[in-house]
Amino acid sequence: MLYGIFEAIFIQFPFQLLVSEAVFLTDSPKRTHFLPRLLTGFLLQILLSALWNAVLTPYESTSLFYYMLLYLGFAFFTAIPIWGSFDLELRELIFILAGGYATEHMTFALSRIILQKLHNLYPLYGSLPHLLLTRYVIYLAGAAAVYLLIIRPNKKANQLSDGDFRIVVLAFIIMVFAIGFSVYWSYPEEYMGTPMGDVICPSYSFLCCALVLLMEYYVLRENSMKREQEMMEQLLQISTAQQKSSKEAIDIINMKCHDLKHQMKALAKIEDDRSRTEYIQEIQDAVSIYDATYHTGCSALDYVLREKTLIFNERGIEFGCMVEGKMISYMASADVYALMGNALDNALERVMKEKKGERIISFQIRHHNDMVLIHLENRCSRMLQFENGIPVTDKKDRSQHGFGVKSMRYIVEKYHGELFMSLKNGKFNLDILLPSQEEA
C-alpha cells in the first residue's frame, strides 16, 4: 500500500516540483495565515493533480503528447499552494515555476545518466528503497545543490519582482521545449535502456535547463547592478542638492554676522538707556533664531534639524518638531542625513508655493504599535497626481527629477520599513514605518 501511494505519478512528480520550487521561495514574503493557506493549497493541488491524471489516463498508450499535457498540468497545479501562501507578483510566480521545473528536470536527467552508468534501471521494479531514492531523495539533493551553487551566491540580486518579464517567459518556453524533446526520446520503449534514451537526450535536457537557470539569474544580476547604479546617481544628485542647502545656511549666517557688526556699531552710538535696551533686545531676538540646538539622541538628525531650521526661519516657515531621535540612532548617519534631509527639502519646496502665513511644516518621530513612525506633514493646497504611491513631479524634465523620493524609498526598504505618501484635506503627509531599535 505504501509503495502504491509513493508510486502514484500525481504524488511523486508534484513532490519533485514543489521541492525544486521551494528553494526559490526562501526569502519570499508570506501571506497572513500562512500555514492554513499552505495546507489548503497542498490538498487542492493533490486533488486536482489526481483528477488531471484520471482525465488523461485513457490517452496514455496512444500519444506522447499525453506526457507533455500531464507534466505541464502538474506544474500548473503546483502554483496553487505557492500563489496562495506567498505574496508574489505574476512575474515572480513564473520565475519560480520555470526555475523549479528546470531544477527538477536537471535532477531527473542527471539521475538517468548516473543510473545508466551504474548499469541500473531508471524504471521502477517494485522496490520501495529504489522508489524513494530515485523519485524522492535524489530530488531533495538536487534542489539543495541548486540552492547552494546558484541561488545563495546570487542572494543579493535575488529580487524576482525586478526581473525582465520577457526573459522569464522566454526561459519558460525554452524549458518547455527541452522537456518536450526529452519526453519524445525518453518514453518510446525502443529507447529505454539505450545510450540515446538514458544519456544523450538527458544530457541535452540537463544543459538546456541549466541554461534556463543561468539566464534567469543573469537577468537578475544585471537588473541588480543597474538598480545600484541608478541609486548611486540619485544619491549623488541628493548630495549635490544638500550641499546647496548647506551653502545657503552658511550664507545666511554670514549675512547675519555682517548685519550684526553694523548693528553693534550703531548700538555704541545710542546714548539713551531705554533705546539701548530695546535695541539690544531686538538683536538678541534676531540671534536666538539662529541658535537652534537639538538634542534628539541622534547626532545626524540633530545636524539636519539645525541646518533646516535655520533656512525655515529665514523664509518665514513655521516648523513644529517633536522627535525622539534615539529611535533611529541604529541607522547609518549617511542614511539619516539623506532620508531626513531629503524629506524636509521636499516639504520646504512644497510650502514655498503656499501663501505667507500658511507655510507650515510639522515633523514627528514616535512609537506606533511596536514600530517607529516618522511623520512629516506640510501645507499643500495644490492637487497632486500619484503613481505607485509617489507624487508625479510637475517639472518639465521628469527624467531629472523624482530621484529623491526613490532614494528615500530605497533607504527605508534597506531597513525593512515602509514608506507612504498621501494628500488629505490640503495637507501632504509622509509616513515612514521602521522596525524599532530593539527589533532591528
Side-chain angles (χ1 to χ4, degrees):
M1 179 179 178
L2 189 61
Y3 182 89
I5 294 174
F6 285 112
E7 184 188 23
I9 189 66
F10 63 86
I11 295 292
Q12 63 174 263
F13 187 72
F15 170 83
Q16 296 164 3
L17 279 181
L18 286 169
V19 166
S20 302
E21 292 162 355
V23 296
F24 293 88
L25 292 164
T26 52
D27 294 323
S28 298
K30 300 179 179 63
R31 297 185 187 272
T32 56
H33 309 295
F34 173 73
L35 286 178
R37 286 174 176 269
L38 186 63
L39 292 175
T40 303
F42 280 150
L43 291 175
L44 184 59
Q45 173 255 316
I46 293 173
L47 179 63
L48 291 175
S49 296
L51 182 61
W52 182 249
N53 182 59
V55 169
L56 293 181
T57 295
Y59 305 98
E60 180 177 1
S61 58
T62 59
S63 174
L64 289 176
F65 191 62
Y66 154 82
Y67 293 104
M68 288 289 295
L69 287 178
L70 182 68
Y71 292 141
L72 289 176
F74 288 156
F76 176 78
F77 296 139
T78 60
I80 296 174
I82 295 174
W83 185 264
S85 306
F86 294 88
D87 188 10
L88 302 171
E89 296 180 5
L90 178 59
R91 71 179 65 187
E92 295 177 273
L93 182 64
I94 295 176
F95 181 98
I96 290 167
L97 291 179
Y101 214 147
T103 300
E104 182 278 333
H105 207 70
M106 287 171 63
T107 307
F108 163 74
L110 192 59
S111 65
R112 291 199 67 156
I113 296 172
I114 293 174
L115 288 173
Q116 200 275 343
K117 292 300 180 181
L118 295 176
H119 303 289
N120 205 335
L121 295 177
Y122 185 82
L124 300 173
Y125 52 80
S127 169
L128 183 60
H130 182 270
L131 169 67
L132 294 177
L133 177 63
T134 60
R135 300 301 191 270
Y136 292 90
V137 176
I138 197 169
Y139 288 91
L140 292 171
V146 168
Y147 176 78
L148 294 174
L149 297 175
I150 299 178
I151 299 176
R152 191 170 71 172
N154 292 283
K155 214 162 191 178
K156 183 179 179 181
N158 191 22
Q159 305 225 359
L160 306 184
S161 59
D162 294 328
D164 190 319
F165 187 81
R166 294 168 299 175
I167 298 298
V168 172
V169 172
L170 177 60
F172 192 82
I173 293 173
I174 293 174
M175 177 200 64
V176 169
F177 273 96
I179 294 171
F181 284 126
S182 179
V183 167
Y184 180 79
W185 287 104
S186 300
Y187 279 94
E189 294 183 359
E190 60 266 28
Y191 296 115
M192 287 289 185
T194 66
M196 178 63 73
D198 289 347
V199 177
I200 297 176
C201 187
S203 297
Y204 170 76
S205 296
F206 181 91
L207 293 175
C208 287
C209 291
L211 178 62
V212 168
L213 290 179
L214 293 175
M215 181 186 301
E216 289 186 328
Y217 274 94
Y218 174 78
V219 172
L220 287 180
R221 177 171 291 186
E222 288 294 308
N223 287 342
S224 177
M225 293 175 63
K226 182 180 178 181
R227 185 171 58 252
E228 289 182 0
Q229 182 180 358
E230 289 176 351
M231 288 312 306
M232 290 299 295
E233 292 176 355
Q234 294 169 15
L235 292 175
L236 181 61
Q237 290 197 17
I238 293 171
S239 176
T240 302
Q242 290 175 345
Q243 287 178 7
K244 182 180 179 181
S245 177
S246 297
K247 183 180 182 299
E248 182 180 357
I250 293 172
D251 289 342
I252 291 172
I253 295 173
N254 290 336
M255 181 182 64
K256 290 301 177 180
C257 289
H258 183 268
D259 291 343
L260 281 174
K261 286 167 59 178
H262 292 284
Q263 289 173 338
M264 294 300 291
K265 290 180 180 179
L267 179 61
K269 298 178 181 180
I270 297 176
E271 297 179 356
D272 181 63
D273 291 340
R274 183 174 180 180
S275 298
R276 180 189 292 268
T277 301
E278 292 177 355
Y279 199 74
I280 290 174
Q281 185 61 46
E282 290 179 8
I283 295 175
Q284 288 177 342
D285 292 341
V287 172
S288 65
I289 297 175
Y290 306 99
D291 192 28
T293 302
Y294 291 89
H295 300 285
T296 66
C298 177
S299 58
L301 180 60
D302 294 342
Y303 182 83
V304 173
L305 291 175
R306 283 196 296 269
E307 178 184 296
K308 302 307 177 186
T309 300
L310 185 66
I311 298 173
F312 293 162
N313 288 332
E314 179 66 18
R315 298 192 180 184
I317 297 172
E318 183 180 337
F319 181 53
C321 180
M322 295 181 62
V323 300
E324 296 182 46
K326 61 183 179 181
M327 294 183 184
I328 60 171
S329 59
Y330 65 88
M331 296 176 63
S333 296
D335 291 336
V336 173
Y337 190 79
L339 178 61
M340 302 306 175
N342 199 43
L344 290 169
D345 284 342
N346 289 343
L348 170 63
E349 182 179 352
R350 282 188 292 268
V351 296
M352 287 305 295
K353 298 176 182 178
E354 304 295 323
K355 299 177 181 178
K356 289 184 178 181
E358 296 183 2
R359 297 173 179 175
I360 303 171
I361 299 175
S362 176
F363 184 38
Q364 297 179 22
I365 300 180
R366 56 185 173 84
H367 279 295
H368 179 74
N369 297 334
D370 297 327
M371 300 285 285
V372 176
L373 172 63
I374 301 172
H375 177 75
L376 184 62
E377 178 183 299
N378 62 265
R379 176 70 177 158
C380 184
S381 57
R382 299 178 304 113
M383 294 300 296
L384 298 176
Q385 292 183 339
F386 287 79
E387 288 184 3
N388 300 321
I390 295 177
V392 178
T393 180
D394 56 1
K395 297 176 182 177
K396 293 182 179 180
D397 188 1
R398 294 189 177 185
S399 64
Q400 298 300 319
H401 299 282
F403 285 157
V405 176
K406 292 179 181 178
S407 66
M408 289 168 60
R409 176 166 286 178
Y410 174 80
I411 293 171
V412 170
E413 291 177 352
K414 174 182 175 181
Y415 291 94
H416 310 289
E418 294 183 85
L419 182 147
F420 307 94
M421 293 182 176
S422 63
L423 181 62
K424 295 181 181 178
N425 302 321
K427 294 181 179 179
F428 185 90
N429 299 285
L430 167 66
D431 291 291
I432 298 172
L433 280 174
L434 294 170
S436 66
Q437 188 172 6
E438 291 77 14
E439 294 178 357

